[in-house]
Amino acid sequence: MRCYERFIILTVLLCGGFLLMYTVRESTRDDNTSHRLHKVYWRLLRAEQRGEELSYKLFQMVEKLKTINNTGANVTISNSTKDSLGHSLNNTSTRRFLYPQPYTLLYLPHLSENDDSLQPRVYLGQGRSGVSLVLGIPTVRRQKQSYLVNTVSSLLFDLTPEEKMDIVIIVFVAETDGAFVKTIADSIQKNFPDDVKSGLVEVIAPSPFYYPNLSNLKETFGDSKERVKWRTKQNLDYSYLMLYAQDKGTYYVQLEDDIVAKSGYTESIKNHVSNVNTEQWLFLEFSQLGFIGKLFRTSDLPVIVEFFLMFHKDKPIDWLLDHILWVKVCNPEKDSKHCNNEKSKLKRTFKPSLFQHVGVHSSLPGKIQNLKDKDFGKQVLYKSHQNPPAKLSSSLKHFESHSLDRAYQGVDFLWVFTPNQGDYILIEFNTPQTVKRYRFRSGNIEANGDRFYNTTVQVLPSDVSVRQRVEQGQLSCCKPSSDGFAIIGSFINAIAEGPVDGALGGLKAMRLYVHSNSEAWAVLSEIFIQV
């Protein structure tokens, strides 16, 4: 009996040992299998990302080959290739993808569900790239007033032809409603046709599959659910725009859709960048408000966007930007003063500020924000020139002290009540003048809508025989008007400028003549008569 019991006990122990060994083995196998599956998952994910990168690079090569074929020489996307690329950029079936960064799907995994989730909808654009400055303007549907057209007008107001060739303005309509986006694009096309045609101004929108579900966000910092959703989407908007802009120029300037720019802002930016370009900095600050006027090297944008996407649900964009500086240079063992000093080395502030916030109604419904940059200073609302002595008269009534005399002397701008058909501004020279060029600019950076419309520039030759030749249509430079005057130009997009043909000889007078009733007041912010 005792032998039998020993046998039973031994059998149980052996079975238990085998069971324990099997369990340990299976557990190890499960762990190994889980680990292997995890590694396979990440390999597949990296392979998918690599495939997207190769696809984008292949697309770039194809576009360059198209460009070479069409231009014979120039392989950059510029004005010389806009005809060849304009069609493809405005064809929804052939738009380019954003450059896919390895981290994109980690922070926005829903993007893998659709092939074109990072495919921008280019509504207006000629594919311009290779410029010095890329200006990014995100805009959304607002319940109240829209400031977008005035913002773009302000940025374009006094750009020289050379400056216009070296920047691109990207209006990013951060909405997936195609009808609304088209409304914005039509407005930009209507107000800035020449700038759209040249490739200076673009209008893009995201794929309808870009945004994740924003309905289950955690409420933080005492913000309401609606505000958390608003700031989270805003982070995604900025990130998308930066990704789109990164290969279009050397520097990227972040703006908003409710700002005005200081006259000469592009020259000021380029001069400041030139002075500090060899130094270490993350961004230059041309406005102290929020995220307005921040300039980055486009080569730094991928890292910055990665940080934004990593914490896009947690904090507003300007806080995240400050946190990047903290991560880079702040020592937790030292005080805040040391930290701020170190951060200031990576954040260079330019004064006076070049961009001012003018919007009152925020894109967040119900939010009123009267934010003003105290370092912006006074805006220059007119340009001064030394003009030849003349007697001045006008049928237009000026507002307060903004008179024609002061505008002609270069100490103020002319601001008149609503012009009507037949109104005029007459400049009678004290002695006949041989005028080489002229420029009349209407509107100014704060009242850009107060322009002269359907208004011609006319001259009165001092030589009677020249007047007769004009009346008989013998001079190709001009068309006859009335009272012996000859029409030599007109206001186009708020500016009338050009050379004066030498065949007209000495001029006795110049005149601006209004041919139809206007709906608004008019500003004449520049009078330049070169003799």
Side-chain angles (χ1 to χ4, degrees):
M1 182 69 181
R2 181 174 294 177
C3 290
Y4 178 75
E5 291 177 351
R6 288 179 179 176
F7 175 77
I8 295 297
I9 293 171
L10 181 62
T11 301
V12 171
L13 289 174
L14 287 173
C15 291
F18 282 125
L19 180 62
L20 179 61
M21 290 175 62
Y22 177 79
T23 302
V24 171
R25 182 179 177 184
E26 289 301 312
S27 176
T28 304
R29 181 181 296 175
D30 289 342
D31 289 342
N32 290 338
T33 300
S34 176
H35 179 68
R36 289 173 182 172
L37 288 174
H38 186 72
K39 291 177 66 175
V40 169
Y41 169 77
W42 285 109
R43 286 176 181 173
L44 288 173
L45 182 60
R46 284 194 292 269
E48 182 180 11
Q49 292 166 349
R50 181 59 178 163
E52 291 178 351
E53 293 175 10
L54 292 174
S55 175
Y56 175 71
K57 289 180 180 179
L58 178 61
F59 176 84
Q60 284 185 315
M61 292 180 65
V62 170
E63 291 300 332
K64 287 184 178 181
L65 289 173
K66 286 182 183 179
T67 303
I68 293 173
N69 184 52
N70 287 327
T71 65
N74 188 5
V75 296
T76 60
I77 303 176
S78 61
N79 284 341
S80 61
T81 62
K82 64 186 179 183
D83 291 334
S84 64
L85 287 183
H87 175 73
S88 66
L89 284 169
N90 286 289
N91 186 331
T92 57
S93 65
T94 56
R95 303 202 208 295
R96 71 173 181 84
F97 284 79
L98 297 188
Y99 186 78
Q101 300 297 331
Y103 52 77
T104 307
L105 296 181
L106 296 181
Y107 308 126
L108 300 173
H110 72 283
L111 296 178
S112 61
E113 298 173 4
N114 293 278
D115 292 338
D116 69 341
S117 55
L118 284 177
Q119 191 176 27
R121 274 50 175 168
V122 181
Y123 284 75
L124 298 174
Q126 303 296 336
R128 178 182 288 196
S129 66
V131 298
S132 295
L133 293 179
V134 183
L135 310 182
I137 307 173
T139 189
V140 296
R141 190 194 305 269
R142 290 176 179 266
Q143 289 185 345
K144 299 288 185 179
Q145 181 179 0
S146 173
Y147 307 91
L148 178 62
V149 170
N150 286 340
T151 293
V152 177
S153 296
S154 171
L155 294 171
L156 296 173
F157 177 69
D158 65 347
L159 294 181
T160 66
E162 294 75 20
E163 289 171 337
K164 285 188 173 185
M165 292 291 290
D166 198 33
I167 70 172
V168 60
I169 299 172
I170 305 169
V171 176
F172 173 54
V173 187
E175 301 284 354
T176 55
D177 180 354
F180 174 76
V181 178
K182 187 177 184 303
T183 299
I184 297 297
D186 290 345
S187 175
I188 296 296
Q189 175 70 58
K190 177 183 177 181
N191 285 278
F192 315 104
D194 295 337
D195 299 308
V196 170
K197 184 178 180 181
S198 70
L200 170 57
V201 178
E202 297 186 5
V203 176
I204 69 167
S207 162
F209 307 110
Y210 171 63
Y211 296 105
N213 184 355
L214 301 176
S215 61
N216 297 315
L217 297 171
K218 181 180 178 181
E219 296 178 21
T220 57
F221 304 108
D223 287 344
S224 65
K225 183 176 181 179
E226 191 63 29
R227 186 179 181 89
V228 172
K229 180 179 179 180
W230 169 75
R231 79 184 193 210
T232 299
K233 179 182 177 296
Q234 191 176 62
N235 291 342
L236 296 174
D237 296 342
Y238 286 123
S239 299
Y240 193 98
L241 182 50
M242 287 180 164
L243 286 176
Y244 179 83
Q246 64 180 310
D247 62 349
K248 298 181 76 67
T250 306
Y251 301 99
Y252 173 79
V253 182
Q254 183 62 63
L255 300 173
E256 293 186 5
D257 65 351
D258 53 356
I259 58 100
V260 293
K262 182 156 287 185
S263 180
Y265 73 93
T266 55
E267 183 180 2
S268 297
I269 288 176
K270 289 182 179 180
N271 289 340
H272 187 55
V273 169
S274 178
N275 291 335
V276 301
N277 193 40
T278 58
E279 302 175 14
Q280 294 295 320
W281 47 267
L282 182 65
F283 64 91
L284 304 180
E285 192 173 50
F286 293 97
S287 172
Q288 295 193 54
L289 293 179
F291 207 38
I292 299 172
K294 307 302 184 280
L295 179 144
F296 306 88
R297 296 181 178 95
T298 53
S299 57
D300 289 334
L301 291 181
V303 174
I304 294 170
V305 170
E306 178 176 10
F307 193 92
F308 290 163
L309 291 180
M310 189 183 304
F311 301 104
H312 70 277
K313 299 178 183 179
D314 300 310
K315 291 187 177 182
I317 195 79
D318 49 338
W319 290 15
L320 293 180
L321 183 60
D322 184 71
H323 289 339
I324 296 178
L325 300 179
W326 193 97
V327 170
K328 281 182 170 292
V329 298
C330 288
N331 185 338
E333 297 179 354
K334 297 189 177 182
D335 59 18
S336 59
K337 181 178 180 180
H338 176 269
C339 179
N340 290 334
N341 288 336
E342 292 300 309
K343 287 194 297 184
S344 66
K345 297 176 183 177
L346 295 185
K347 178 185 71 172
R348 307 295 182 85
T349 301
F350 178 87
K351 294 183 180 181
S353 298
L354 299 180
F355 305 100
Q356 178 65 287
H357 180 264
V358 296
V360 175
H361 299 282
S362 169
S363 58
L364 176 63
K367 181 183 178 184
I368 303 296
Q369 50 183 17
N370 293 306
L371 301 176
K372 295 296 179 184
D373 190 331
K374 59 182 177 58
D375 291 319
F376 184 73
K378 287 188 175 181
Q379 182 69 281
V380 178
L381 301 178
Y382 58 89
K383 279 195 172 183
S384 302
H385 296 284
Q386 188 71 36
N387 294 309
K391 176 184 176 183
L392 308 174
S393 60
S394 176
S395 62
L396 294 161
K397 183 179 179 181
H398 65 265
F399 175 67
E400 293 185 349
S401 63
H402 303 291
S403 66
L404 177 59
D405 287 337
R406 289 174 57 80
Y408 192 77
Q409 294 168 15
V411 297
D412 199 355
F413 58 91
L414 171 65
W415 200 1
V416 297
F417 294 97
T418 307
N420 292 308
Q421 182 178 359
D423 280 330
Y424 65 87
I425 293 173
L426 180 62
I427 303 170
E428 298 178 274
F429 301 118
N430 292 353
T431 58
Q433 300 289 324
T434 302
V435 179
K436 299 176 182 178
R437 293 189 63 86
Y438 66 91
R439 179 164 62 250
F440 298 95
R441 187 188 302 272
S442 65
N444 60 33
I445 209 160
E446 289 189 354
N448 199 30
D450 291 355
R451 302 180 177 185
F452 280 95
Y453 298 94
N454 197 15
T455 301
T456 55
V457 180
Q458 305 178 2
V459 297
L460 180 65
S462 58
D463 190 326
V464 177
S465 64
V466 174
R467 297 183 207 171
Q468 293 174 346
R469 294 178 62 194
V470 170
E471 292 174 356
Q472 296 169 5
Q474 297 178 4
L475 294 181
S476 60
C477 65
C478 44
K479 297 179 179 180
S481 180
S482 59
D483 306 326
F485 279 85
I487 301 173
I488 61 171
S490 62
F491 280 85
I492 300 175
N493 292 330
I495 298 176
E497 64 179 340
V500 178
D501 197 303
L504 293 170
L507 301 181
K508 186 176 181 180
M510 296 187 72
R511 180 172 69 182
L512 303 184
Y513 191 85
V514 180
H515 293 271
S516 60
N517 296 344
S518 296
E519 297 180 354
W521 292 13
V523 166
L524 198 59
S525 56
E526 182 179 9
I527 301 175
F528 178 38
I529 300 173
Q530 183 181 0
V531 295

